[in-house]
Coordinates of all heavy atoms in Angstrom, one line a residue:
P6 N -84.2 147.5 30.6 CA -84.3 147.2 29.1 C -83.5 146.2 28.7 O -82.3 146.0 29.1 CB -84.0 148.7 28.5 CG -83.3 149.5 29.7 CD -83.6 148.8 30.9
T7 N -84.0 145.4 27.8 CA -83.3 144.3 27.1 C -82.3 144.8 25.9 O -82.6 145.8 25.2 CB -84.1 143.2 26.7 OG1 -85.1 143.8 25.7 CG2 -84.9 142.6 27.9
E8 N -81.2 144.2 25.8 CA -80.3 144.6 24.8 C -80.9 144.1 23.4 O -81.4 143.0 23.4 CB -78.9 144.1 24.9 CG -78.2 144.7 26.2 CD -76.8 144.2 26.3 OE1 -76.3 143.6 25.3 OE2 -76.2 144.1 27.4
P11 N -78.9 140.7 18.0 CA -78.2 140.8 16.7 C -79.1 140.1 15.6 O -79.8 139.1 15.9 CB -76.9 140.1 16.8 CG -76.9 139.3 18.0 CD -78.0 139.8 18.9
V20 N -84.9 134.1 4.2 CA -84.7 133.0 3.2 C -84.9 131.6 4.0 O -85.7 130.8 3.4 CB -83.3 133.1 2.6 CG1 -83.2 131.9 1.7 CG2 -83.2 134.4 1.8
P33 N -100.6 120.5 -5.5 CA -101.7 119.7 -6.0 C -101.0 118.8 -7.1 O -100.0 119.0 -7.7 CB -102.5 120.7 -6.7 CG -101.8 121.8 -6.9 CD -100.7 121.9 -5.8
R35 N -101.2 116.9 -10.8 CA -101.4 117.4 -12.2 C -102.8 117.3 -12.5 O -103.4 118.3 -13.1 CB -100.5 116.6 -13.2 CG -100.5 117.4 -14.6 CD -99.6 116.6 -15.6 NE -98.3 116.7 -15.0 CZ -97.4 117.6 -15.5 NH1 -97.7 118.5 -16.2 NH2 -96.2 117.6 -15.1
L38 N -104.8 120.0 -10.5 CA -104.4 121.4 -11.0 C -105.2 121.5 -12.3 O -105.8 122.5 -12.4 CB -103.0 121.3 -11.2 CG -102.4 122.7 -11.8 CD1 -102.8 123.8 -10.7 CD2 -101.0 122.7 -12.2
A40 N -108.2 120.0 -13.2 CA -109.5 120.1 -12.9 C -110.0 121.4 -12.3 O -110.8 122.0 -12.7 CB -109.9 118.9 -12.0
V43 N -109.8 124.2 -14.9 CA -110.9 124.2 -15.8 C -112.2 124.7 -15.1 O -112.9 125.6 -15.6 CB -111.3 122.8 -16.3 CG1 -112.6 122.7 -17.0 CG2 -110.2 122.2 -17.3
A53 N -118.8 136.3 -16.7 CA -118.7 137.2 -17.8 C -120.0 137.3 -18.6 O -120.5 138.5 -18.9 CB -117.5 137.0 -18.6
N67 N -132.7 151.2 -20.4 CA -132.3 152.7 -20.4 C -132.8 153.3 -21.8 O -133.4 154.4 -21.9 CB -130.8 152.7 -20.2 CG -130.4 154.4 -20.3 OD1 -131.1 155.1 -19.7 ND2 -129.3 154.4 -20.6
A68 N -132.6 152.5 -22.8 CA -133.0 153.0 -24.2 C -134.5 153.1 -24.3 O -135.0 154.1 -24.9 CB -132.4 152.0 -25.3

Side-chain angles (χ1 to χ4, degrees):
T7 59
E8 294 182 20
V20 175
R35 188 175 299 267
L38 182 66
V43 169
N67 187 30

